[in-house]
Amino acid sequence: MKSFKIVEVKIERGGNFIILDLIDGIIINKETSEDSWLLEISTSPDFKDILEPYVEQEVNLLVTITRPTNEPARFKGVFNEMNEIDNAVSLIFTGDIITQNPNYAENLLAQLIDEGFEGDELLNEFTAMMESKTELKTSDD
């Protein structure tokens, strides 16, 4: 097993992100084939009411590990549990890191052009989607 310190977590909800006030966090690669990653995050108790509806639900996260300058990884899994501990809330997630195609930027740009974006609108949409690591549409969608 390998573990890494989490330095930032964003939970995706309806195309927007809930940016957690991270107290501490760890991500562990269990090195199994399914649900191979375990995340434990402690955050401010102020988030308890916001996060409660998502317990036992599938979630998408952007997780930055080790250093704030690292690119965030897209995580897809289940928000298993939330527990109050002292002056914090502990969150447990299990799932997988979603690896993106090495040509993601080029494919995203082509998709946005196909959708009719151009000029500043293209740049703004491209920047937003690169930051959120949005999954690209496939021909099956």
Side-chain angles (χ1 to χ4, degrees):
M1 288 195 290
K2 297 175 187 162
S3 63
F4 306 92
K5 181 168 181 57
I6 297 173
V7 295
E8 183 179 64
V9 176
K10 298 176 183 177
I11 300 176
E12 185 176 4
R13 277 292 140 204
N16 295 311
F17 289 92
I18 301 167
I19 302 171
L20 297 179
D21 182 12
L22 187 68
I23 296 170
D24 202 2
I26 188 167
I27 181 168
I28 300 168
N29 183 346
K30 300 185 296 182
E31 300 180 351
T32 60
S33 62
E34 194 172 309
D35 290 338
S36 62
W37 292 86
L38 171 72
L39 286 74
E40 182 171 7
I41 298 159
S42 60
T43 188
S44 165
D46 297 340
F47 287 90
K48 183 176 184 246
D49 291 339
I50 296 168
L51 297 173
E52 205 151 30
Y54 306 116
V55 176
E56 298 181 5
Q57 301 294 313
E58 188 170 282
V59 294
N60 291 311
L61 307 174
L62 288 180
V63 181
T64 305
I65 61 171
T66 310
R67 289 182 293 284
T69 55
N70 285 343
E71 281 290 314
R74 183 173 263 300
F75 173 89
K76 186 173 190 168
V78 175
F79 182 177
N80 298 99
E81 61 184 270
M82 178 169 53
N83 300 298
E84 289 186 66
I85 302 173
D86 296 326
N87 293 327
V89 175
S90 172
L91 315 174
I92 306 290
F93 301 87
T94 55
D96 294 300
I97 298 292
I98 306 301
T99 55
Q100 291 182 320
N101 182 317
N103 299 322
Y104 177 79
E106 292 86 353
N107 294 340
L108 172 59
L109 186 57
Q111 176 181 310
L112 293 173
I113 291 170
D114 288 347
E115 291 177 4
F117 288 96
E118 55 186 40
D120 286 343
E121 188 179 34
L122 172 63
L123 180 59
N124 292 338
E125 192 69 16
F126 179 79
T127 301
M129 290 181 77
M130 283 296 292
E131 286 177 9
S132 69
K133 305 281 190 207
T134 300
E135 291 184 57
L136 297 180
K137 294 177 185 170
T138 63
S139 57
D140 299 337
D141 291 345

